Amino acid sequence: MTPKEKKTIILEEVVKPEFENAGYTSIGQTYYHMREDCCVAVKIQSSQFNSSNTGYTFWFHIKTFPKQISLETLKEWTAWSDSIHEDSLLPDCGNLHPYRTAKGYQIDGYKNSVLQDMDLEDIKQRIRSDLRDYILPQLTEIQGLDDWETKKKEWLNRWNSQRVLLLNYFSVAQMSSAVRDNIPHLRDAQRRFGLSDETIKASQSLYQEVKAFSQWPEDDKWEFILSTLT
């Protein structure tokens, strides 16, 4: 089965029924739910680089509109300003997830330079759990535009926790070639994430988790990381 076929099945057999069971209506690639004083909308976006060789990636844009929004506007919604992605609603902001990359849900694709053939039933079960346990329940907390602004701020602030900052830093390190020219790049990432040398050194076990979920789980960068610290 091709990754495109898997993606189609996931959207039809998991995403669509989960949103419909939660009371959402679909129009085009958008699912929407009218609340007391707003409309919560979730639009499915797919990567333009999807192919049988690269795998298929998709993600959700989440946004709240005034309740008076027209169905045509919802259907043609293409502006991503003020929207968030589902990763902000997932544990560890979507890190340490077997079927996610920094972009979104990843079906097949490469690991250790080998094209994967991921188990479809396992992917379906995990995404179904994401929707039932995290994404949809948290969206029920939005009943008005003020709720949206409050919850959006709370969700986006999760990216600032030290654990998530470490996960993102280690992801950058794992994607970087262990060469001298990349040392300034990794030091800049450390500075941007506000991580001390001591915090990084004390988090080797977390790095090993990131490595295991990365595209290169056999490529250990721990010594390279240590070499970049002052």
Side-chain angles (χ1 to χ4, degrees):
M1 184 180 298
T2 68
K4 183 178 182 179
E5 290 170 334
K6 290 179 182 178
K7 177 199 167 191
T8 298
I9 291 173
I10 291 166
L11 293 180
E12 285 297 317
E13 297 184 6
V14 177
V15 174
K16 182 178 180 179
E18 289 302 323
F19 273 102
E20 290 181 345
N21 289 340
Y24 286 74
T25 302
S26 63
I27 181 168
Q29 294 299 307
T30 298
Y31 290 90
Y32 68 94
H33 192 293
M34 294 299 179
R35 304 290 169 83
E36 292 180 8
D37 192 33
C38 70
C39 172
V40 175
V42 181
K43 191 177 187 73
I44 300 172
Q45 176 81 11
S46 299
S47 172
Q48 61 179 321
F49 302 108
N50 283 342
S51 73
S52 296
N53 292 326
T54 61
Y56 270 67
T57 302
F58 70 93
W59 59 96
F60 303 138
H61 284 287
I62 303 169
K63 185 178 173 71
T64 298
F65 295 94
K67 196 170 183 178
Q68 298 76 21
I69 188 170
S70 69
L71 294 183
E72 187 62 28
T73 300
L74 283 174
K75 182 179 180 180
E76 301 301 325
W77 167 33
T78 58
W80 311 134
S81 62
D82 197 39
S83 66
I84 64 170
H85 293 175
E86 77 283 354
D87 47 9
S88 295
L89 306 181
L90 296 176
D92 293 324
C93 292
N95 289 286
L96 305 183
H97 192 296
Y99 305 117
R100 286 189 62 84
T101 66
K103 187 77 170 180
Y105 288 106
Q106 173 77 45
I107 302 171
D108 294 344
Y110 283 88
K111 184 163 285 196
N112 291 323
S113 300
V114 177
L115 186 62
Q116 301 296 292
D117 184 11
M118 296 175 174
D119 183 82
L120 176 60
E121 291 306 313
D122 197 57
I123 301 173
K124 289 167 61 177
Q125 179 179 349
R126 184 57 185 262
I127 296 179
R128 183 180 292 112
S129 175
D130 288 348
L131 287 164
R132 289 183 179 180
D133 298 339
Y134 302 105
I135 299 171
L136 289 168
Q138 290 179 86
L139 292 182
T140 61
E141 300 176 36
I142 301 173
Q143 295 297 326
L145 297 177
D146 289 342
D147 295 335
W148 165 247
E149 294 301 327
T150 299
K151 299 305 297 186
K152 182 178 66 170
K153 183 178 179 180
E154 174 188 319
W155 295 332
L156 292 177
N157 194 49
R158 293 172 178 172
W159 291 90
N160 297 321
S161 73
Q162 184 176 87
R163 178 179 169 86
V164 172
L165 291 170
L166 276 165
L167 289 169
N168 289 333
Y169 168 79
F170 286 139
S171 294
V172 171
Q174 189 65 11
M175 291 188 296
S176 302
S177 299
V179 297
R180 182 176 296 274
D181 287 348
N182 278 336
I183 291 178
H185 170 62
L186 203 53
R187 285 178 175 168
D188 179 65
Q190 178 186 357
R191 178 191 58 78
R192 286 187 289 107
F193 294 133
L195 300 170
S196 68
D197 290 356
E198 291 72 23
T199 296
I200 293 171
K201 290 177 182 177
S203 304
Q204 184 177 5
S205 61
L206 190 60
Y207 164 70
Q208 294 298 329
E209 291 186 67
V210 172
K211 181 173 77 73
F213 282 95
S214 74
Q215 290 180 287
W216 303 277
E218 296 179 5
D219 193 0
D220 196 307
K221 301 288 179 59
W222 183 247
E223 291 303 321
F224 174 61
I225 291 171
L226 295 180
S227 74
T228 71
L229 305 179
T230 56

